[in-house]
Amino acid sequence: MLLPKCSYKKLTGIVVAYSLFLVACSPKEVSQIDLIPKPANMKINVGYFKVDSNQIFSDESSQFIHYIIDDSFDKSNPEGYELIVNDQGIAVKAGTDTGLFYARQTLRQLLTDKGIPYVDIHDAPRFPYRGLHLDVSRHFFPKEEILKLLDIMSYYKLNNLHMHLTDAGGWRIQMDKYPKLTSETAYRTESDWQKWWDGKDRKYLPEGTPGAYGGYYTKDDIREIVAYAAERHINIIPEIEFPGHSDEVLFAYPELSCSGKPYMNGDFCIGNPKTFTFMEDVLSEVIDLFPSEYIHVGGDEAGKGSWKTCPKCQALMKKEGMKDVDELQSYMIHKAEDFLISKGRKLIGWDEILEGGLAPEATVMSWRGENGGIKSARMGHDVIMTPGGYMYFDFYQADPKTQPYAIGGYTPVKHVYSYNPVPVDSLTAEESKHIIGVQANTWTEYIQTADHLEYMMFPRALALAEIAWTPQEQRSWQDFKPRMNANIPVLQKMGINTFTLSDEIETVMKVDTVKKQIEVVLDAEKYPAEIRYTTDGTTPTLSSTLYKGTIAAVKDSAYIKAAIFRDGKLQGTPTEKKVDYHRGINKPIHYNSKLYSGYMAGGMNALLDGYRGGLTYLDGRWQGYLNDLDCVVDMEEVTGIHKVSIRFMQLIGPGVFQPGKVELLTSEDGENFIPQGVVPTTISNKDKDLSFQEYIFFGDWNARYVRLKATEVNNAFIFTDEIVIW
Ligand code: ACM
């Protein structure tokens, strides 16, 4: 469904005298203001100004509503505005049209049946770049859906839509000089990307083939999208992928690949001068269509393999004195930048453009964590933070068991909200100025429909909007949560198929090694939420303890089960968490096997820190290895032990498997180990669902040393979160 188009005409310098005869409704307490993003400074006063929506949505100043462009307004933040609502009416001041536009969005959000609450708002965004990205290649989303997203983005003050227009899934934008890009490779044999990609019949099809899946935007479509966005103060950033992810181009124009044949490569042949003619021709047409200062040229995940044996690429490397193929990619990105600068534009690329040498004025999108962004900012380059661990909206947003199939990962809205785009521990204040903004990315390998797309984007995009706009010190999850909940029906009214938030309970642990106890806090996305819980592993019922902000600290073991109750009924599946302040906590551990530096969890004592992991191996609690785990816990004295356990997770999509078995050995002297038992895995290595197995050993041992050996049998990762010793 497309929203009614509002008119956002320019509002310059209209000043109308205040009327002495204004209508204000009787003062009432304002209970809650659900603005997202939260303004930088806001004072709520008692009372409402009665106004009807037509007056707000009219662009003209009126008797009670005054829109003023004030040249003395803070020029360092041109999107800022001031909004005062009192019994005199509504007064809006800003330095620019954009500032007035954002004040209007705030008014739209403030409007209730009672009128507009009296407020005194002085607002401006934290970052100039507030972006949402959409992959329209893996699955195509028609123009109408893009316009709908632009409406919602503007309501929440997001100002850049990054369109990933080209990739192996299909080329999505009409190009006059290269008509085969759309006539030959905008359509394919299968709509479901995964089936198509993995299938034997992975083929592109000519436009017009009956039953073919695909689509593209004509130049008129693009002009319409760009204009519609501009009316909403949104910039469209086009992304054209170079030099990788270009299988579709190399099908239509195989002479641009190293092999010269279709269906062989995804990387352009950089040794071929025709590649650069293509790049400049395409970028010229793109520049003509998109007024965006920034043009995105991709740069991510090039395979680079074909360049190593391609005579043309090798000849270029030799001529230019390049040491490796990274420099070939860098050569191409430098050329792209030279071209864009010659046209008065700026280049953005994914963080791989650092490899082989960054182009002199490039802006970097840091997606493989923050390191690329940190490095670039230190070098004086502008950076947009979009790290996968927080900002990927194609990842799961709740327990995968309850969700449509996704690419993996786990970025629930609370986790998204926790992200601060400025890595304050790694950058100086001066370097931090290069962090110009933040973006969330929505890749669509597993997202086929507009409904599903909206479900993945919302309400996470509301968290993004607030991260991007609101000062860090003004943000808190507990404050955001009720406002986010209140915005769910708002999104629904605007026709968005939003995720309506999970019924899961989060259990947040705090291990206190001084008091020798574990404190547990429960939290839910839903607000308000009646949470009831047990600590003995039984299913909570209506008569179980009502959660009121604390649970008695756990000094030994608790098996917490918690759930939300609504209308007297348990919602969803209770969340379970085992909590043990066990005897192994903080004891020394020695590893006989290799650790994997990327997945150390809390470090060397991660397996004995009391913290259990959650649903993702990326939550900093799970330690991962690419080999057997063989470790020895030193209890520091001979100890009577009766139970030892260790837990592993399985999620075979990203290559995380259960070990084949776990063996327990004990020793008094650390030299002579006695085998005490073996527990095999009970989970099939074909089981695709996220699963956990606890390997438990019961006995009666006197030992100082406890050794666990977990056998890796799938040539993949194994991940464990905690060894528990009683
Ligand atoms: C990316 O996710 N390949 C930028």
Side-chain angles (χ1 to χ4, degrees):
M1 190 189 87
L2 187 60
L3 291 174
K5 186 175 163 183
C6 310
S7 157
Y8 296 115
K9 271 194 326 228
K10 295 202 166 168
L11 301 155
T12 37
I14 304 167
V15 186
V16 178
Y18 275 86
S19 162
L20 293 173
F21 308 101
L22 298 171
V23 190
C25 72
S26 58
K28 275 211 182 88
E29 202 63 47
V30 175
S31 56
Q32 198 186 350
I33 292 206
D34 298 316
L35 279 175
I36 293 179
K38 185 180 180 177
N41 293 286
M42 172 167 66
K43 192 161 166 278
I44 304 166
N45 299 314
V46 177
Y48 287 85
F49 184 73
K50 192 87 185 152
V51 66
D52 75 56
S53 60
N54 291 338
Q55 283 173 290
I56 292 179
F57 299 130
S58 151
D59 290 340
E60 309 297 333
S61 286
S62 71
Q63 206 176 10
F64 318 118
I65 306 179
H66 305 272
Y67 293 107
I68 300 170
I69 293 270
D70 179 348
D71 285 340
S72 66
F73 216 79
D74 179 7
K75 294 202 172 39
S76 68
N77 204 333
E79 296 176 294
Y81 66 92
E82 200 179 284
L83 166 63
I84 295 168
V85 183
N86 56 26
D87 61 359
Q88 302 290 295
I90 298 169
V92 177
K93 223 196 267 180
T96 63
D97 285 346
T98 311
L100 293 186
F101 176 82
Y102 286 133
R104 188 185 302 280
Q105 302 319 305
T106 300
L107 282 169
R108 286 174 73 193
Q109 292 200 22
L110 286 172
L111 183 65
T112 70
D113 293 345
K114 291 183 259 183
I116 309 254
Y118 293 167
V119 286
D120 191 339
I121 293 177
H122 298 259
D123 198 10
R126 180 180 180 197
F127 295 108
Y129 186 101
R130 305 179 297 279
L132 187 61
H133 151 288
L134 172 60
D135 168 10
V136 294
S137 174
R138 272 53 173 267
H139 286 104
F140 179 66
F141 298 90
K143 179 186 73 187
E144 288 69 23
E145 182 61 18
I146 306 296
L147 303 186
K148 184 177 176 186
L149 290 175
L150 290 169
D151 279 325
I152 309 298
M153 284 177 69
S154 66
Y155 187 71
Y156 294 108
K157 303 188 176 86
L158 292 167
N159 68 350
N160 277 281
L161 176 65
H162 167 176
M163 294 182 76
H164 185 75
L165 289 162
T166 72
D167 210 306
W171 182 279
R172 304 290 178 216
I173 175 169
Q174 180 188 349
M175 288 284 117
D176 297 335
K177 240 186 177 165
Y178 296 89
K180 286 201 281 182
L181 291 171
T182 47
S183 67
E184 300 285 324
T185 63
Y187 293 85
R188 63 188 194 220
T189 43
E190 163 67 53
S191 59
D192 181 313
W193 177 85
Q194 179 80 66
K195 273 197 200 151
W196 178 74
W197 191 250
D198 291 346
K200 284 199 264 307
D201 191 30
R202 189 214 294 180
K203 291 281 187 309
Y204 300 101
L205 291 174
E207 185 178 7
T209 306
Y213 170 84
Y216 62 91
Y217 307 107
T218 64
K219 289 202 164 175
D220 280 344
D221 288 339
I222 295 287
R223 288 186 195 102
E224 188 180 337
I225 289 169
V226 165
Y228 195 86
E231 284 178 0
R232 285 152 186 76
H233 296 259
I234 296 172
N235 176 53
I236 307 278
I237 296 195
E239 180 184 352
I240 308 292
E241 273 271 15
F242 299 105
H245 281 280
S246 296
D247 310 57
E248 83 292 23
V249 180
L250 306 179
F251 172 78
Y253 298 97
E255 65 274 23
L256 301 178
S257 78
C258 292
S259 67
K261 297 189 196 105
Y263 296 121
M264 297 284 285
N265 300 79
D267 297 342
F268 280 90
C269 175
I270 296 182
N272 183 351
K274 280 190 188 159
T275 288
F276 293 90
T277 310
F278 175 90
M279 181 173 80
E280 293 191 0
D281 288 344
V282 165
L283 289 179
S284 292
E285 290 193 39
V286 165
I287 285 167
D288 284 347
L289 283 170
F290 295 89
S292 175
E293 184 185 18
Y294 289 112
I295 305 291
H296 201 302
V297 298
D300 59 320
E301 299 182 313
K304 303 180 185 173
S306 61
W307 303 342
K308 291 180 183 158
T309 50
C310 165
K312 288 194 193 110
C313 290
Q314 288 300 311
L316 179 63
M317 283 178 70
K318 197 160 166 210
K319 177 165 161 250
E320 297 288 331
M322 298 176 193
K323 321 184 279 304
D324 57 31
V325 287
D326 286 346
E327 290 188 35
L328 262 185
Q329 157 147 332
S330 167
Y331 176 86
M332 182 168 200
I333 301 294
H334 272 72
K335 291 263 185 224
E337 177 169 89
D338 290 347
F339 182 73
L340 291 174
I341 288 174
S342 78
K343 302 282 180 192
R345 304 300 178 95
K346 290 183 173 169
L347 176 143
I348 300 187
W350 300 111
D351 58 58
E352 286 92 333
I353 64 171
L354 280 154
E355 293 160 14
L358 193 52
E361 293 178 37
T363 296
V364 173
M365 271 189 185
S366 190
W367 73 279
R368 296 176 301 174
E370 292 186 312
N371 285 345
I374 290 167
K375 201 166 159 194
S376 304
R378 284 183 183 151
M379 288 160 66
H381 286 256
D382 283 349
V383 169
I384 294 155
M385 284 295 193
T386 181
Y390 292 90
M391 286 292 142
Y392 270 38
F393 287 177
D394 52 339
F395 286 9
Y396 284 105
Q397 55 191 325
D399 185 340
K401 280 208 260 329
T402 65
Q403 296 299 304
Y405 191 73
I407 198 160
Y410 186 61
T411 51
V413 64
K414 182 176 179 180
H415 183 68
V416 172
Y417 192 80
S418 74
Y419 184 57
N420 179 3
V422 176
V424 282
D425 296 337
S426 307
L427 294 180
T428 64
E430 203 49 38
E431 289 162 346
S432 297
K433 290 186 186 148
H434 288 292
I435 311 293
I436 61 168
V438 57
Q439 174 171 293
N441 298 336
T442 321
W443 301 99
T444 59
E445 285 92 336
Y446 301 97
I447 303 173
Q448 287 196 50
T449 65
D451 271 359
H452 189 186
L453 177 68
E454 293 169 10
Y455 179 91
M456 298 304 276
M457 282 182 164
F458 299 98
R460 286 187 284 193
L462 276 51
L464 166 73
E466 188 147 310
I467 293 168
W469 183 281
T470 307
Q472 181 69 11
E473 62 279 7
Q474 298 272 354
R475 295 205 293 120
S476 89
W477 163 250
Q478 293 303 339
D479 177 66
F480 175 70
K481 186 165 74 167
R483 288 182 286 117
M484 171 184 68
N485 274 268
N487 271 270
I488 297 282
V490 175
L491 286 165
Q492 288 171 328
K493 247 193 229 147
M494 294 195 286
I496 292 290
N497 179 46
T498 176
F499 176 51
T500 53
L501 298 167
S502 143
D503 281 317
E504 289 153 39
I505 307 292
E506 189 194 20
T507 45
V508 185
M509 300 167 59
K510 186 164 166 275
V511 178
D512 185 334
T513 51
V514 178
K515 291 188 185 153
K516 297 196 182 308
Q517 64 184 29
I518 300 178
E519 289 143 28
V520 181
V521 175
L522 305 181
D523 193 19
E525 293 178 345
K526 288 218 169 124
Y527 178 90
E530 177 188 331
I531 301 173
R532 295 183 181 274
Y533 68 96
T534 64
T535 55
D536 60 2
T538 57
T539 301
T541 65
L542 255 186
S543 51
S544 300
T545 314
L546 179 67
Y547 180 71
K548 290 194 184 139
T550 49
I551 290 183
V554 178
K555 290 195 176 284
D556 42 34
S557 282
Y559 187 177
I560 295 169
K561 282 197 180 173
I564 292 180
F565 286 77
R566 198 174 314 118
D567 303 327
K569 287 201 196 75
L570 189 152
Q571 306 294 310
T573 309
T575 301
E576 305 182 15
K577 191 88 168 185
K578 284 191 176 160
V579 182
D580 290 279
Y581 199 96
H582 59 89
R583 291 154 75 196
I585 283 185
N586 265 353
K587 296 292 185 215
I589 183 167
H590 172 79
Y591 290 88
N592 295 323
S593 57
K594 267 211 289 255
L595 289 155
Y596 185 86
S597 62
Y599 295 119
M600 288 292 290
M604 291 306 282
N605 92 326
L607 300 188
L608 296 165
D609 63 2
Y611 288 103
R612 299 291 226 292
L615 294 176
T616 170
Y617 59 91
L618 296 170
D619 68 8
R621 300 289 181 215
W622 293 91
Q623 208 170 64
Y625 328 96
L626 270 172
N627 41 258
D628 294 351
L629 166 67
D630 180 354
C631 62
V632 183
V633 180
D634 178 0
M635 299 298 286
E636 295 177 311
E637 60 189 346
V638 174
T639 307
I641 295 168
H642 62 269
K643 184 178 168 190
V644 175
S645 67
I646 182 167
R647 186 169 78 135
F648 285 84
M649 82 146 55
Q650 177 160 305
L651 187 65
I652 67 175
V656 178
F657 287 81
Q658 288 290 329
K661 63 177 193 292
V662 179
E663 182 178 11
L664 171 72
L665 304 98
T666 60
S667 166
E668 289 197 13
D669 59 8
E671 307 231 325
N672 302 297
F673 280 88
I674 308 162
Q676 303 291 8
V678 175
V679 178
T681 180
T682 54
I683 298 173
S684 156
N685 64 0
K686 305 258 176 338
D687 187 341
K688 280 203 185 133
D689 290 340
L690 172 68
S691 57
F692 303 89
Q693 182 175 341
E694 192 139 16
Y695 298 77
I696 307 177
F697 302 86
F698 290 102
D700 187 8
W701 311 291
N702 273 320
R704 173 170 168 176
Y705 297 94
V706 176
R707 181 173 184 180
L708 285 161
K709 288 192 210 177
T711 320
E712 193 288 301
V713 289
N714 290 291
N715 226 350
F717 275 105
I718 53 173
F719 270 89
T720 181
D721 60 342
E722 185 78 359
I723 297 168
V724 176
I725 301 173
W726 284 110

